[in-house]
């Protein structure tokens, strides 16, 4: 990317308990991280918990600005998870 961001596609992410996760996409630009998970069906609260977990891991790694998103591809909707 022109802004110098690093894009990670399906890269493994390990939590403090040793659990390994694989978010669909992570964009790192300086101290800002955006975690994006693509979904192809209906909305489920479990998806929100999943992407929040990913974001929490990045926060614990010391990143100050971490954002989590669900992208419902078929509907073209992007939902930010707080």
């Amino acid at each position: 990317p022109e802004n110098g961001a690093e894009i990670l596609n399906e890269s493994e992410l390990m939590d403090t308990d040793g659990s390994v996760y694989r978010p669909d996409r992570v964009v790192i630009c300086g101290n800002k991280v955006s975690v994006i998970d693509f979904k192809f069906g209906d909305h489920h609260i479990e998806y929100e918990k999943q992407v929040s977990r990913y974001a929490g891991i990045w926060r614990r790694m010391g990143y100050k600005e971490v954002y989590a998103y669900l992208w419902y591809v078929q509907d073209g909707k992007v939902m930010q998870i707080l």
Side-chain angles (χ1 to χ4, degrees):
E2 292 178 16
N3 65 356
E6 180 181 2
I7 298 175
L8 306 174
N9 293 312
E10 295 188 11
S11 293
E12 289 188 347
L13 182 63
M14 185 179 293
D15 205 346
T16 54
D17 66 357
S19 298
V20 177
Y21 302 100
R22 190 172 294 153
D24 292 330
R25 181 164 295 167
V26 177
V27 180
I28 305 168
C29 188
N31 200 33
K32 179 181 174 182
V33 174
S34 296
V35 180
I36 306 158
D37 226 47
F38 302 108
K39 299 299 179 192
F40 294 89
D42 295 329
H43 175 78
H44 295 283
I45 192 71
E46 293 301 316
Y47 297 157
E48 292 183 36
K49 292 177 185 177
Q50 176 187 28
V51 77
S52 290
R53 182 182 307 120
Y54 300 159
I57 295 169
W58 284 97
R59 285 185 189 101
R60 288 191 298 280
M61 287 192 295
Y63 287 89
K64 303 294 183 203
E65 289 184 70
V66 180
Y67 303 92
Y69 301 94
L70 289 171
W71 182 348
Y72 290 92
V73 176
Q74 292 173 326
D75 297 336
K77 294 180 181 177
V78 177
M79 181 175 161
Q80 183 173 4
I81 307 303
L82 303 175

